[in-house]
Amino acid sequence: MRNPLFFLFTGALLLMTAHCSNKKQAARPCKLYQNGLQKLEYNHPGLTVDLDGGFKVLPMPMDFDGDGDYDLVLSESGAYAEAGIFYFENITGNADLPVFRLGEKISYERRRLGKDGAYFEASVVDGRVHVITPDRVGEKLLIYKDVPQNVFWDDNELILSHKGYALLHYMKNTQWKMIDFDSDGIADLVCAASSARRSSLRGTGSEERDREFATFPKHQRLVYLKNTGTNDAPVFNDPVEIVKENGASLAKGLAIKPVFADFDNDGDLDYIGIGPVQNGEQYDVAWAKNFMIYFENKGTPTNYKFTKGSVLVHEGKPIQNESRGTIHLTAFDWNKDGYVDLLAGDEDGKMAFIKNTGKVIDGVPQFLPPAFFQMEARYVDFGALTTPRVFDWDGDGLDDILSGNGVGHIGFFKNLGGYPPKWSAPELLDVNGETIRLIANEAVQGTEEPYWGYTTIDVGYWDEDDLPDIIANEHNGNIVWFRNIGTRTAPKLAPPEPLYIAWQGEPQRPAWVPGTAEGDELLAPWRTSPFIMDFNEDSLNDLVILDYEGYLVVYPRIRKDGRLMLGHPQRNFVYPSGEPILLNQRTGKSSGRLKITFDDWDGDGLADLIVSSKPAMDWMKNLGKKDGKMILQYMGRISSRTLMGHTDGPVTADWNKDGIPDLLVGTEIGVFYYWERPGFEVTTTMTSSGKQKPAAYPYFKR
């Protein structure tokens, strides 16, 4: 006989389901995201979207389930909350661009697999797939044997020579692959080693390590360790640096991975690295442009001779990943056509297939541009570094999602109705048919900071018509305005324009910011979100953002010489003490970075401040205005859950239309998290009863 509790539970569940699906339900529908922050779902069966394996995804292609086609095993190497190794099943079969199922995590926290998840490499030896990675502290070189069968349980150590261990100990980043480098039938080791670091060893042997590090060659390099043993019982010689035929290091100026393969099908191993070029030559900024550079081996299978690099191009344009950040590249004959392709995992988490066509022109194999794999849609995602806003963009009465992201796009997720809402795949907004991409290709002169996108936005009525516009921060601090010149139900954006300030004296510029501005243009701290609000209630929308020193300010809208522009910034947000609110006191690359929004969080009729603050979201209660200044009292955390390393992007939404603003959060990995509150009295996930009281400590950016 079944336990009677089973029937009670089942009945309750049926009642709950019926209540949720009843279109005539009460004004307070049941809550589907009430247990704290949860991933927002597409709720759209049959929808496919770009496969996203998480921040800085690293590919390990293999037939994981043994059904004859290749699947993807991916390491989410840059995330905090969701780091791990995931298996994406190929549900199409052998094809260039199959569709995959949602990833299933196959690693477990008590089995710490390697260093940061960023240095795995799958090697095929005698038809068996082994995965190699340094351990977490750079002391051992681990090999997980027969991975599809053993799922990362059979871990062993590859024994190196003293000089081999020196690479492991004294280079911060090492990635290793077993491959028959000298064509003797035995799998050797190749290693991509970059960024010298002092060994972290303490206690016995540490002084000896320090002395050895002082004389250790600290330049990055590609090396080869010959195997004088067998595939099952390898014995590796000392590492030998791999050089070009002119004697220069093959690794110089490149972002290096062990991407050795016979790309031109002439019987020897060639090399592909990532880096920039200048007048046909490499230079020492390894990730400014992320061109893919091919080095042909013009030697023999047993005696290599790497030539000067050539940029891979297609129809005259360099082949590049969409992301300009970290690219994890691996060589693999994905479509089983006999030509070695490239798989590229990027900083945004997307997985690209770069097909080798089999053609060779002027000694260079010809590849097609990156094409993204697709997956069954479940969680709403927009690449990486998402900064959402909620607004009825297309005038159909339903609140949509618009968001910037890490590659400079602005995406539109259409609300297709229902409860919970059904979402469309992201549509990239454009200007005159050209996709918006707020990103520059060059590194900032005098810094090592490349231009990513990291576009932060707000949506609202910026000019004096009834069409919503978009204000965007271009990551580098340049604030631009996209005017809507379409209709309320068919938005169309004009080219971006800068915002101009009627400065009182010299323009205020941040001491450190990647961008530049001319004349009276606004230059704000980077990675900060703009917010549109009529602060002084004069029927003109103003701009709220961080100023050049990190204070929260309002740029009031004014009329000057017959046109609308912004007045000099005013530090009109203050603590109860009257002190202006310094939201971020940090400088240099740690300046800016905060995302803000305002809404009536506690139901008293006044718009409160919600702000990202590592590692979570905080809020400040609006106590009203005095002498034209908004008084904000720091209340503490809305949530203390660490989602990502970068500051998250909070905004409010009310998709269940109960009149209570809920919380939507964009994250570093691109997934949106959502929390539905039971009522205005619940302002934080950190307490279970009673109203939240002001925090006993002052606000500071963690």
Side-chain angles (χ1 to χ4, degrees), residues 238-270:
D238 286 344
V240 176
E241 184 165 5
I242 302 171
V243 297
K244 291 181 283 189
E245 59 182 342
N246 63 4
S249 171
L250 182 59
K252 184 179 180 181
L254 295 173
I256 53 173
K257 303 287 181 182
V259 189
F260 291 94
D262 185 8
F263 294 107
D264 56 6
N265 271 25
D266 65 353
D268 54 35
L269 296 178
D270 312 298

Side-chain angles (χ1 to χ4, degrees), residues 45-289:
L47 180 67
T48 60
V49 294
D50 291 341
L51 187 150
D52 195 304
F55 198 51
K56 298 184 179 180
V57 63
L58 182 149
M60 292 175 277
M62 63 185 75
D63 182 5
F64 192 80
D65 54 7
D67 65 356
D69 56 37
Y70 289 133
D71 311 297
L72 287 172
V73 176
L74 304 178
S75 174
E76 185 171 349
S77 67
Y80 278 61
E82 300 184 17
I85 300 175
F86 296 81
Y87 156 54
F88 289 75
E89 182 192 1
N90 179 345
I91 58 175
T92 301
N94 292 305
D96 284 2
L97 294 170
V99 175
F100 295 83
R101 291 201 197 283
L102 181 71
E104 174 187 357
K105 191 170 184 178
I106 58 175
S107 62
Y108 303 92
E109 292 306 315
R110 74 184 189 90
R111 298 278 296 178
R112 297 192 179 275
L113 307 178
K115 181 181 182 297
D116 295 339
Y119 307 104
F120 293 99
E121 187 69 33
S123 302
V124 180
V125 180
D126 294 336
R128 301 158 62 194
V129 179
H130 308 314
V131 172
I132 300 173
T133 178
D135 72 350
R136 294 183 63 246
V137 294
E139 290 294 311
K140 298 178 181 179
L141 185 60
L142 302 177
I143 178 170
Y144 294 90
K145 295 183 177 180
D146 300 311
V147 168
Q149 294 89 339
N150 290 312
V151 199
F152 293 93
W153 284 97
D154 188 11
D155 60 331
N156 300 267
E157 182 181 354
L158 287 177
I159 304 302
L160 305 175
S161 68
H162 181 79
K163 290 185 178 180
Y165 280 116
L167 273 177
L168 197 63
H169 297 159
Y170 301 135
M171 301 300 284
K172 180 180 179 182
N173 305 323
T174 60
Q175 195 164 349
W176 307 72
K177 185 180 183 74
M178 292 188 73
I179 190 170
D180 185 5
F181 191 75
D182 56 6
S183 196
D184 64 356
I186 305 298
D188 310 297
L189 264 182
V190 291
C191 174
S194 60
S195 303
R197 60 141 195 199
R198 185 177 179 179
S199 175
S200 59
L201 183 69
R202 298 292 181 266
T204 303
S206 59
E207 293 183 2
E208 181 181 347
R209 284 274 185 95
D210 289 344
R211 288 193 297 270
E212 186 172 5
F213 180 72
T215 60
F216 177 77
K218 297 176 178 59
H219 66 282
Q220 73 171 29
R221 73 205 81 162
L222 290 157
V223 300
Y224 147 61
L225 296 79
K226 181 176 176 60
N227 183 357
T228 59
T230 66
N231 288 338
D232 290 329
V235 177
F236 297 112
N237 286 358
D238 286 344
V240 176
E241 184 165 5
I242 302 171
V243 297
K244 291 181 283 189
E245 59 182 342
N246 63 4
S249 171
L250 182 59
K252 184 179 180 181
L254 295 173
I256 53 173
K257 303 287 181 182
V259 189
F260 291 94
D262 185 8
F263 294 107
D264 56 6
N265 271 25
D266 65 353
D268 54 35
L269 296 178
D270 312 298
Y271 183 71
I272 292 178
I274 296 177
V277 292
Q278 186 177 44
N279 298 323
E281 295 289 346
Q282 295 165 248
Y283 63 95
D284 291 336
V285 182
W287 28 255
K289 285 198 173 183

Side-chain angles (χ1 to χ4, degrees), residues 405-647:
N405 73 1
V407 296
H409 291 147
I410 300 176
F412 164 51
F413 295 79
K414 180 175 174 58
N415 185 340
L416 299 173
Y419 182 79
K422 178 180 180 180
W423 298 100
S424 72
E427 172 190 337
L428 301 183
L429 299 188
D430 65 84
V431 171
N432 296 326
E434 184 174 347
T435 299
I436 293 171
R437 186 137 194 237
L438 297 177
I439 189 172
N441 289 327
E442 300 290 347
V444 182
Q445 187 174 5
T447 77
E448 295 181 351
E449 194 65 52
Y451 282 175
W452 284 281
Y454 208 155
T455 307
T456 57
I457 67 168
D458 198 17
V459 185
Y461 300 96
W462 192 243
D463 56 356
E464 295 181 288
D465 60 20
D466 294 325
L467 302 178
D469 311 297
I470 294 177
I471 302 291
N473 187 342
E474 296 183 328
H475 156 84
N476 53 7
N478 294 106
I479 310 296
V480 294
W481 165 41
F482 289 92
R483 183 183 179 189
N484 188 346
I485 57 175
T487 66
R488 187 64 187 93
T489 57
K492 181 180 179 181
L493 297 177
E497 305 174 34
L499 298 185
Y500 295 97
I501 313 298
W503 299 105
Q504 296 175 6
E506 290 295 316
Q508 296 177 350
R509 311 281 199 228
W512 186 95
V513 74
T516 59
E518 298 180 358
D520 294 333
E521 292 178 1
L522 173 59
L523 185 68
W526 74 331
R527 301 182 174 185
T528 59
S529 60
F531 188 81
I532 300 169
M533 71 184 304
D534 182 7
F535 180 84
N536 52 17
E537 300 177 5
D538 63 354
S539 299
L540 291 175
N541 273 330
D542 311 304
L543 178 68
V544 176
I545 197 169
L546 300 191
D547 74 0
Y548 74 115
E549 292 182 325
Y551 287 89
L552 186 62
V553 300
V554 57
Y555 289 85
R557 207 69 169 283
I558 63 172
R559 295 187 186 275
K560 184 177 181 181
D561 300 327
R563 64 170 180 157
L564 281 173
M565 60 186 308
L566 292 172
H568 192 81
Q570 300 172 2
R571 294 178 177 175
N572 282 346
F573 299 92
V574 299
Y575 291 109
S577 65
E579 177 186 0
I581 293 176
L582 179 62
L583 275 187
N584 185 4
Q585 75 277 30
R586 297 188 179 185
T587 59
K589 295 180 183 180
S590 295
S591 63
R593 293 183 178 265
L594 294 185
K595 320 299 180 296
I596 61 170
T597 195
F598 284 84
D599 204 341
D600 183 7
W601 191 243
D602 58 0
D604 65 358
L606 299 176
D608 308 299
L609 171 66
I610 298 173
V611 57
S612 62
S613 173
K614 268 189 176 181
M617 282 71 60
D618 296 359
W619 73 289
M620 297 187 185
K621 179 179 174 61
N622 186 345
L623 300 180
K625 288 183 180 177
K626 182 178 181 181
D627 300 328
K629 299 180 186 295
M630 182 183 291
I631 302 169
L632 297 173
Q633 182 176 40
Y634 179 59
M635 299 296 293
R637 297 290 193 215
I638 290 176
S639 170
S640 62
R641 180 179 178 185
T642 300
L643 295 177
M644 292 299 128
H646 288 249
T647 53

Side-chain angles (χ1 to χ4, degrees), residues 217-408:
K218 297 176 178 59
H219 66 282
Q220 73 171 29
R221 73 205 81 162
L222 290 157
V223 300
Y224 147 61
L225 296 79
K226 181 176 176 60
N227 183 357
T228 59
T230 66
N231 288 338
D232 290 329
V235 177
F236 297 112
N237 286 358
D238 286 344
V240 176
E241 184 165 5
I242 302 171
V243 297
K244 291 181 283 189
E245 59 182 342
N246 63 4
S249 171
L250 182 59
K252 184 179 180 181
L254 295 173
I256 53 173
K257 303 287 181 182
V259 189
F260 291 94
D262 185 8
F263 294 107
D264 56 6
N265 271 25
D266 65 353
D268 54 35
L269 296 178
D270 312 298
Y271 183 71
I272 292 178
I274 296 177
V277 292
Q278 186 177 44
N279 298 323
E281 295 289 346
Q282 295 165 248
Y283 63 95
D284 291 336
V285 182
W287 28 255
K289 285 198 173 183
N290 278 341
F291 292 147
M292 295 183 185
I293 304 177
Y294 169 73
F295 297 86
E296 182 185 2
N297 184 352
K298 287 191 174 180
T300 67
T302 58
N303 188 16
Y304 70 82
K305 185 186 289 185
F306 291 102
T307 60
K308 174 183 171 182
S310 300
V311 176
L312 295 181
V313 298
H314 178 73
E315 297 181 350
K317 295 182 179 180
I319 293 177
Q320 294 177 284
N321 258 42
E322 186 174 73
S323 173
R324 297 294 189 268
T326 302
I327 305 296
H328 288 297
L329 202 64
T330 193
F332 193 79
D333 181 9
W334 174 257
N335 56 5
K336 303 182 181 180
D337 64 355
Y339 302 107
V340 180
D341 311 299
L342 294 170
L343 298 184
D346 68 22
E347 186 151 310
D348 262 26
K350 294 184 180 181
M351 274 301 311
F353 171 54
I354 304 171
K355 181 177 180 177
N356 186 341
T357 67
K359 298 178 181 178
V360 178
I361 299 177
D362 296 329
V364 180
Q366 302 299 295
F367 291 82
L368 297 182
F372 292 130
F373 289 124
Q374 298 290 292
M375 65 180 286
E376 293 180 331
R378 182 173 180 186
Y379 299 117
V380 182
D381 188 294
F382 194 43
L385 304 170
T386 49
T387 56
R389 294 298 190 191
V390 174
F391 199 96
D392 179 9
W393 180 242
D394 55 2
D396 64 357
L398 299 173
D399 283 341
D400 311 299
I401 299 173
L402 294 97
S403 180
N405 73 1
V407 296

